[in-house]
Amino acid sequence: MLGAKERTVAMEAASRNDWATVPNAITLLRFFLVIPICIFLISDTRPTLTAVLLLAFGLSDWVDGFIARKFSQVSRLGILLDPIADRLGIVAIAVALVAGGFIPVWIGVVIFFTDLVLLCAYFFLRLSEPPSSTLLGKFRTALIMLGLAFVAAGRIDQLSIFYVPGIYILYAGALLHIVVGFGYLRYMRSEARTANRPGEETKP
């Protein structure tokens, strides 16, 4: 996920036709990886392949950000797609794990409804772009992804030892998700108030 510096670069490059980049292609791939992962989790099949695909899903988030920064391929489209791919992917995988009976229902509910509230707030407040990722937000995402990966790996007989630690990691990640979500909500409300002050241009 990109921070404020990368967003600034993207805004400066907005006049270019910069949507066709390697990072954006990787982000789109991340969308498609979610489909087989969820199917395998819900049907409780292909545990090894599921773990490999989930690992690829998590690593792709780091890879596209690294390439975007290293080769100056940060784009406006990437800024919008990257967090969407992260959040939709994590929500879908968490829901699939709940449906498959691998994690407690409350974890899926917390992840789903926190993101739903933030998404609704984003459109209701009519912000021009999603909030920049914070250090705590990045840690939250990494924690949840680690927990999901451990639980998925725990479905493999030889790696079943990872299952219980994965559940506890998800406990911590879900609780931190609420804290981070509240922080993002406050930030978005503050941005909306600033944009709507008299004498200042209202964001579309």
Side-chain angles (χ1 to χ4, degrees):
M1 187 175 289
L2 301 177
K5 182 178 179 180
E6 289 80 6
R7 290 171 181 273
T8 302
V9 174
M11 297 311 168
E12 294 173 352
S15 60
R16 302 199 313 266
N17 182 22
D18 57 359
W19 60 269
T21 64
V22 173
N24 288 347
I26 295 175
T27 300
L28 288 176
L29 174 63
R30 193 150 77 250
F31 273 112
F32 290 111
L33 284 175
V34 173
I35 299 174
I37 290 173
C38 291
I39 291 175
F40 295 149
L41 287 174
I42 293 173
S43 62
D44 194 14
T45 57
R46 303 289 187 90
T48 301
L49 179 57
T50 304
V52 171
L53 292 177
L54 191 52
L55 178 62
F57 175 85
L59 290 178
S60 66
D61 185 31
W62 177 84
V63 171
D64 64 7
F66 173 79
I67 293 176
R69 292 186 295 267
K70 183 70 173 180
F71 300 99
S72 300
Q73 293 190 8
V74 179
S75 67
R76 184 183 293 273
L77 178 63
I79 287 175
L80 295 175
L81 281 182
D82 187 65
I84 293 174
D86 286 344
R87 302 319 314 162
L88 283 182
I90 288 176
V91 167
I93 293 169
V95 170
L97 284 170
V98 170
F102 298 108
I103 64 175
V105 174
W106 74 266
I107 293 179
V109 170
V110 164
I111 293 176
F112 176 81
F113 279 103
T114 299
D115 283 341
L116 180 62
V117 168
L118 291 177
L119 180 64
C120 291
Y122 172 72
F123 286 109
F124 178 77
L125 296 174
R126 302 177 63 193
L127 299 178
S128 60
E129 62 184 61
S132 301
S133 178
T134 64
L135 183 60
L136 188 60
K138 292 178 180 179
F139 178 72
R140 174 276 322 266
T141 299
L143 197 63
I144 292 177
M145 280 303 307
L146 182 63
L148 294 176
F150 270 39
V151 170
R155 296 172 63 231
I156 304 171
D157 292 338
Q158 297 86 344
L159 301 177
S160 59
I161 191 175
F162 287 105
Y163 178 77
V164 173
I167 292 295
Y168 284 107
I169 292 173
L170 282 177
Y171 284 171
L175 294 176
L176 185 58
H177 189 43
I178 298 175
V179 175
V180 171
F182 182 71
Y184 281 148
L185 185 60
R186 291 184 59 188
Y187 173 82
M188 287 191 290
R189 290 180 60 188
S190 176
E191 286 292 294
R193 284 197 299 266
T194 300
N196 289 308
R197 284 175 183 169
E200 295 188 13
E201 182 182 356
T202 302
K203 294 184 179 180

